[in-house]
Amino acid sequence: MIRKLLIFSGLLISTHFCFAQKAEVEDAVTRLTRLMVAPDSLALDKIVLNNLSYGHSSGKIQTKQEFLHSLLSGESDFVDINLTDQSVIIQNKTALVRHTLNAKTNDKNVPGNVKLYILLIWSKEKTGWKLLGRQAVKVP
């Protein structure tokens, strides 16, 4: 009886841990999305790793510095972002997040709309989940 209780308790704890981890990753995605609409250099610096690889649907790849510059300068200007169909997979200290991004943009003062499939790669660091990679592809 005690053995069954211990097994059951272990399952409850591990299930709770998995849901907590997923919620933390989803919160990081939400913070990043908000920062892409309303960029803040200090907050962006805290959520993005130094060795970021940020891939665009055009094939362009940006470093952390290039990504931050494009947001902060208005070169890449998101007016509104809506994420749908999000899934999260966590393996140890790595999380893969897939979603569809629908956004209104104003890149270089040119209004536009974009719909992309996104893959985000997050790394669990001492201070929380940090963005390591991003790849966008055009929706067929």
Side-chain angles (χ1 to χ4, degrees):
M1 180 67 171
I2 293 176
R3 183 175 175 188
K4 287 181 183 180
L5 185 59
L6 288 174
I7 291 171
F8 181 72
S9 297
L11 288 173
L12 282 178
I13 290 169
S14 66
T15 301
H16 174 72
F17 180 73
C18 289
F19 283 119
Q21 289 276 74
K22 183 179 179 194
E24 288 176 11
V25 172
E26 290 171 338
D27 286 347
V29 172
T30 299
R31 281 195 314 277
L32 175 65
T33 303
R34 288 182 186 146
L35 287 168
M36 290 174 70
V37 173
D40 174 284
S41 61
L42 294 175
L44 281 164
D45 186 57
K46 289 180 181 179
I47 199 168
V48 176
L49 288 171
N50 288 335
N51 52 351
L52 173 73
S53 177
Y54 190 91
H56 293 267
S57 61
S58 65
K60 179 180 179 179
I61 306 292
Q62 290 181 314
T63 63
K64 176 181 180 176
Q65 292 73 27
E66 292 166 333
F67 169 62
L68 286 146
H69 174 76
S70 68
L71 286 176
L72 295 167
S73 70
E75 179 183 317
S76 181
D77 185 4
F78 289 95
V79 176
D80 184 53
I81 298 175
N82 182 37
L83 304 179
T84 58
D85 305 319
Q86 184 163 283
S87 65
V88 177
I89 298 170
I90 299 172
Q91 179 69 40
N92 298 323
K93 293 185 176 191
T94 304
L96 301 179
V97 178
R98 289 189 181 274
H99 52 236
T100 302
L101 176 143
N102 291 282
K104 292 180 184 177
T105 61
N106 195 32
D107 298 351
K108 298 180 185 175
N109 292 318
V110 178
N113 292 295
V114 65
K115 183 174 184 177
L116 301 167
Y117 291 141
I118 305 291
L119 169 65
L120 299 173
I121 303 152
W122 294 86
S123 176
K124 177 74 174 195
E125 305 294 317
K126 290 179 184 177
T127 56
W129 290 96
K130 308 294 180 189
L131 185 66
L132 175 61
R134 184 255 199 190
Q135 184 59 57
V137 296
K138 294 176 183 170
V139 175

